[in-house]
Every structure is written in structure tokens, then in C-alpha cells.
Amino acid sequence: MNMSDIEMRHIAEMVAALNKAGGKRTANTAGELNRQQICAALGVSESTIRRLEQAGLPYTPVGARSKRYDLEECKNWLKENNQCPSGTTRTEGSTSALWSAAKDFTISCRRAQLRVMPSE
């Protein structure tokens, strides 16, 4: 099997790139981030990524179960679809109103004194 100089140079460049990466493939090319890496890059949980996938987050299927994500494409999608706006957590006017409603419910349940009778 004879290889040309160009093929040998290409193989040498690939080996050098693998050695530089510590034997691991780097995830810097488009569509190369797995779910854990995209979670770390975006600062969200895996369940959030799954929810966003159902809402239309772009990904590329790899095999039967794996997916790869393009970071820039995902960021653009998030900006366009406003799926993760920061600082928009809904808060109640006062927690004391919630506590008093819970307390009223508990008192009404105690007054009813519902009991389960054993079957004979």
C-alpha cells in the first residue's frame, strides 16, 4: 500500500491534533457539543435542555439516542424564542397570604374530622 506525500502529511496533522487534545476529540466544531457540554455552556440543567428540545431547540441526532448541539445556533434560538428569560420569576404579592390560606385549609380539614373506617 503506497501513500502519497499529501496523504502522509494529512495523517501526521491528524495525529498531531489528537496528541495536542490529549487523545480526545475536541468539541469546538459546529454541532459537536453533547448534552452535558451544552448544559455547562448555557448554565442550565439537563432537564431544561430536554424541555427546550421539546419546544424546538435545534440539535442533530447522532445514532439512536445521542444528540449534538451547535452552541451558537442554540444561543440564537434561545434569543429568538425567549425561552429562558432571566429575572422573570413570578412571585406572589405576599407569602403571608399563602400561609394564611394553607392554615385555613388545615383548620377546615381538622374540623371535618374525616376518618377512614376499617372494613370488616
Side-chain angles (χ1 to χ4, degrees):
M1 176 179 192
N2 294 330
M3 287 200 258
S4 68
D5 290 336
I6 295 172
E7 291 173 322
M8 291 295 287
R9 230 177 290 134
H10 182 67
I11 291 171
E13 288 171 1
M14 288 174 32
V15 169
L18 281 173
N19 287 338
K20 185 176 181 180
K24 297 180 181 177
R25 290 182 62 200
T26 58
N28 58 3
T29 58
E32 287 285 325
L33 297 177
N34 63 24
R35 183 176 285 150
Q36 291 175 340
Q37 292 167 332
I38 196 74
C39 289
L42 296 176
V44 297
S45 67
E46 288 192 38
S47 60
T48 299
I49 292 296
R50 283 189 214 100
R51 180 180 54 80
L52 292 173
E53 285 172 8
Q54 291 176 349
L57 182 72
Y59 63 87
T60 304
V62 179
R65 299 177 71 185
S66 298
K67 298 172 184 168
R68 296 293 182 261
Y69 306 86
D70 181 358
L71 181 60
E72 289 305 313
E73 192 176 342
C74 289
K75 283 182 178 180
N76 290 336
W77 184 87
L78 288 169
K79 287 177 187 175
E80 291 170 4
N81 294 286
N82 200 22
Q83 288 291 323
C84 291
S86 60
T88 59
T89 305
R90 186 177 67 99
T91 57
E92 293 294 328
S94 109
T95 55
S96 62
L98 294 174
W99 281 106
S100 64
K103 183 179 175 183
D104 292 342
F105 177 76
T106 304
I107 291 170
S108 67
C109 288
R110 287 181 181 154
R111 283 187 191 141
Q113 295 181 358
L114 298 176
R115 297 181 184 177
V116 177
M117 302 300 277
S119 59
E120 294 184 29

